[in-house]
Amino acid sequence: MQTEIQNALEVIQKGGIILYPTDTVWGIGCDATNEEAIKKIYALKQREESKSMLVLVNGERMLYQVFNEIPQVAWDIWDNTKKPTTLILDKPKNIAKNLIADDNTLGIRLVSEPFCYKLMERMKKPLVSTSANISGQPTPKSFQEISPEIIKGVDYVVNLHRDKICDKPSTIIKLTLDSQVKIIRK
């Protein structure tokens, strides 16, 4: 795993994009502070830049690098859910502007998957995560279902967990600083 982390880190530090396993589905990612790398992902996915992507963080310290305020209910949700859960929170900071939605929100997920966790530990930055498919096409449930166009379009493919099957992306819940809660995807 250390070799894969080092290889992915070198690509990301040079502004590249990677294809990698997450705690849910395979993802396409890059440094969440690098606007040019993020543009490459939008182009590869043929996705409108108005459709934001989520960001992974590996703990509380990194979470507070991205948000000044985190509603208490966010902690309650993360503490009490067994399933990976993405929360859409208000007023992100210190990340690329082309990741922030028009309403000044950002989807964020705390990860436990060892590769992602350790990669971000080395990056010292959040990691963009979006499903490994062309926009509008089904989300691949395994590495084998990822289209050749996506595989050829990234700068590095992580060689871990290629046999993993995941049939569920994360739950998505939108939380506002004024305590409104809206479930986007169960």
Side-chain angles (χ1 to χ4, degrees), residues 26-171:
W26 273 76
I28 303 170
C30 66
D31 171 354
T33 66
N34 185 327
E35 215 164 310
E36 292 305 311
I38 293 161
K39 285 180 184 176
K40 290 181 195 175
I41 295 176
Y42 279 118
L44 176 60
K45 285 185 63 88
Q46 300 168 31
R47 183 176 179 147
E48 297 170 39
E49 285 199 32
S50 61
K51 291 184 79 179
S52 59
M53 296 183 281
L54 71 97
V55 171
L56 303 178
V57 294
N58 68 354
E60 196 171 322
R61 174 183 283 166
M62 194 173 286
L63 194 56
Y64 278 107
Q65 285 177 6
V66 182
F67 295 96
N68 283 327
E69 290 182 71
I70 299 161
Q72 180 57 46
V73 69
W75 298 112
D76 295 342
I77 291 168
W78 278 322
D79 289 344
N80 293 304
T81 187
K82 303 279 183 262
K83 183 179 178 200
T85 301
T86 300
L87 297 181
I88 300 171
L89 302 175
D90 289 333
K91 300 180 183 174
K93 62 178 185 170
N94 301 326
I95 56 149
K97 288 183 182 11
N98 57 347
L99 277 178
I100 300 170
D102 292 340
D103 64 354
N104 199 23
T105 61
L106 176 71
I108 196 140
R109 189 167 78 233
L110 286 164
V111 294
S112 56
E113 197 286 323
F115 171 79
C116 294
Y117 189 93
K118 290 177 180 171
L119 176 60
M120 284 184 282
E121 206 169 63
R122 297 279 308 278
M123 289 170 60
K124 297 184 179 16
K125 294 179 181 178
L127 182 64
V128 169
S129 186
T130 184
S131 56
N133 61 316
I134 302 296
S135 193
Q137 306 226 333
T139 299
K141 294 180 170 106
S142 67
F143 181 80
Q144 286 68 33
E145 291 182 14
I146 299 170
S147 77
E149 188 177 356
I150 293 289
I151 293 170
K152 289 178 189 142
V154 298
D155 299 304
Y156 186 70
V157 179
V158 173
N159 191 16
L160 294 170
H161 311 302
R162 294 203 178 171
D163 54 351
K164 174 184 161 187
I165 295 175
C166 181
D167 58 354
K168 291 233 180 205
S170 69
T171 296

